[in-house]
Amino acid sequence: MAKGKSLNKNEVKNIRLILPGMWLAGVLVRFIMALIFRHGPTVIIDESLYTNIARSLAAGEGIAYRSQPVPYMYIFYPLLLVPVYLFRLPFDLYRVTQLWDAMIMSTAVFPMYLFAKEYTQDSRKALLCAGVLLLAPDMAMAGYLMSECVIWPLSMWLMLFSWRMIAGEEKTLRSGILTGAVSALMFWTKPGAVAMGAAILLATLVLALKKKDKEKIRTAGAGILVMLGMIGGFYLLYVFGFGYEMSVLGLYDKQLTEVNGKWILAVAEDTFLQLMLFAIACSGVYFIFPYAYYKEFPVKQKHFIIAVSAGLFASALGTAALVDMYQWNGSFTNM
């Protein structure tokens, strides 16, 4: 892709003001939507589970549900909710938590801008991409006390660091390590999401081995080790530190069903939602139809598209597999 026109000092200064403004606008829009459309928690276990674990962690009771120990490992989102329960403000706690979620979710504009700027080499286009984020349908998830509020910005940080790992010429080792770290955090937020980062790292490693690129082999290998180390380290903490048995689903019953038509539709739905994340960040057409323009791409873009395509597909399968364990087949299939 051709390098975009460079910005002058005033334009750079304006962008430094515009991005925080976009974040604030995202917070306000998301919170207003929550006030209008969400009047109380949903009658599902997720919101109750996350908020009760956060309350227990704030009270020093460990991972517990109403003071009773609960075998649930994916606590990154409840950890982010702990400040809400530590500093109980004199307002409706449910609304305060929704506002906190909107603040967390809207931080996605920062990695989105950085990634789109580096990918397109056009600062103005990157700013537009960050603005489009405010219109994304997933915006409504900020009204729910759900881990999707964290997965959204984590996905954008993953995209930024994996791009730097694959396309960067300097400090790629650090980017590989950060890719692995974000992948682990995604696992401790929603377990199926780890497949995205894992597939990107593995695809990067395979491409590097094919080209015999020692630096990229070392970079991807370091990312994989960091990801596995962080996941394994928390498993040990969970089992020996908190004293819980390993559990995949926690309070959920593990009800595996056969692969059927609804399962396939669940995969399709999840794939569509995740593709939308990347399509917005990449200014649309270059990823919506990536292989139609494939020959025109520099090698770095080609490798990145291959890795991310593998990551999105793996994440869709991983998420849909867990969804099927819950015997829930996606909103499209429940219509």
Side-chain angles (χ1 to χ4, degrees):
M1 295 181 184
K3 188 173 182 179
K5 182 180 178 181
S6 61
L7 302 176
N8 60 42
K9 291 183 179 180
N10 287 333
E11 288 174 319
V12 171
K13 184 178 180 180
N14 288 338
I15 286 177
R16 290 176 178 174
L17 294 174
I18 291 171
L19 276 178
M22 285 184 171
W23 171 81
L24 181 60
V27 172
L28 292 176
V29 171
R30 286 176 164 89
F31 186 55
I32 290 171
M33 287 182 65
L35 291 174
I36 295 172
F37 297 108
R38 301 279 299 142
H39 304 293
T42 51
V43 189
I44 56 174
I45 198 171
D46 298 66
E47 291 190 327
S48 179
L49 176 65
Y50 295 140
T51 54
N52 274 279
I53 289 177
R55 186 181 289 109
S56 297
L57 289 170
E61 298 176 349
I63 304 173
Y65 186 92
R66 296 184 179 179
S67 300
Q68 297 298 316
V70 57
Y72 192 79
M73 297 181 294
Y74 312 109
I75 63 168
F76 186 58
Y77 174 57
L79 280 172
L80 294 179
L81 292 181
V82 166
V84 175
Y85 295 95
L86 278 176
F87 306 103
R88 290 177 175 270
L89 300 176
F91 303 106
D92 184 328
L93 189 61
Y94 178 66
R95 295 304 189 187
V96 172
T97 308
Q98 284 181 315
L99 177 59
W100 185 248
D101 274 357
M103 293 171 67
I104 293 172
M105 193 173 191
S106 297
T107 60
V109 299
F110 299 108
M112 174 172 280
Y113 170 78
L114 293 172
F115 166 67
K117 178 184 176 183
E118 294 181 17
Y119 187 86
T120 65
Q121 291 294 302
D122 190 319
S123 296
R124 293 178 181 83
K125 187 179 291 186
L127 198 60
L128 177 62
C129 291
V132 170
L133 175 66
L134 303 179
L135 304 176
D138 269 19
M139 179 194 308
M141 288 304 300
Y144 295 79
L145 312 187
M146 304 279 279
S147 57
E148 280 77 3
C149 299
V150 182
I151 282 294
W152 182 272
L154 282 178
S155 297
M156 287 294 98
W157 284 113
L158 177 66
M159 210 65 70
L160 172 65
F161 294 138
S162 60
W163 166 251
R164 290 177 174 175
M165 173 184 67
I166 294 170
E169 297 177 356
E170 298 179 359
K171 299 180 179 178
T172 56
L173 180 60
R174 182 175 66 180
S175 298
I177 290 171
L178 290 171
T179 299
V182 172
S183 299
L185 291 178
M186 291 176 74
F187 177 76
W188 295 121
T189 305
K190 289 183 77 69
V194 72
M196 185 174 183
I200 288 174
L201 286 164
L202 286 172
T204 304
L205 181 60
V206 169
L207 290 167
L209 288 169
K210 185 177 180 180
K211 292 188 65 179
K212 298 181 180 180
D213 187 334
K214 293 183 180 180
E215 182 181 355
K216 287 295 190 295
I217 292 172
R218 183 170 61 251
T219 296
I224 292 170
L225 289 176
V226 167
M227 179 185 68
L228 294 177
M230 288 180 63
I231 292 174
F234 188 80
Y235 265 124
L236 295 176
L237 176 64
Y238 181 83
V239 174
F240 297 106
F242 291 109
Y244 297 132
E245 294 181 2
M246 290 187 184
S247 171
V248 175
L249 299 177
L251 294 182
Y252 297 99
D253 291 324
K254 187 173 181 180
Q255 299 173 316
L256 284 170
T257 58
E258 72 280 359
V259 176
N260 51 41
K262 286 189 174 183
W263 190 90
I264 294 171
L265 285 175
V267 175
E269 178 183 357
D270 190 69
T271 304
F272 171 78
L273 292 174
Q274 294 190 63
L275 284 173
M276 185 173 59
L277 283 175
F278 190 64
I280 292 170
C282 287
S283 303
V285 70
Y286 283 102
F287 188 73
I288 294 173
F289 304 106
Y291 298 104
Y293 297 89
Y294 194 73
K295 291 182 179 180
E296 299 177 15
F297 282 142
V299 173
K300 294 175 182 179
Q301 265 89 353
K302 289 181 179 180
H303 287 180
F304 182 65
I305 286 174
I306 291 171
V308 172
S309 297
L312 289 167
F313 181 71
S315 182
L317 289 177
T319 302
L322 288 172
V323 158
D324 202 55
M325 290 179 188
Y326 308 152
Q327 290 193 342
W328 177 86
N329 291 290
S331 57
F332 292 170
T333 59
N334 288 332
M335 293 176 64

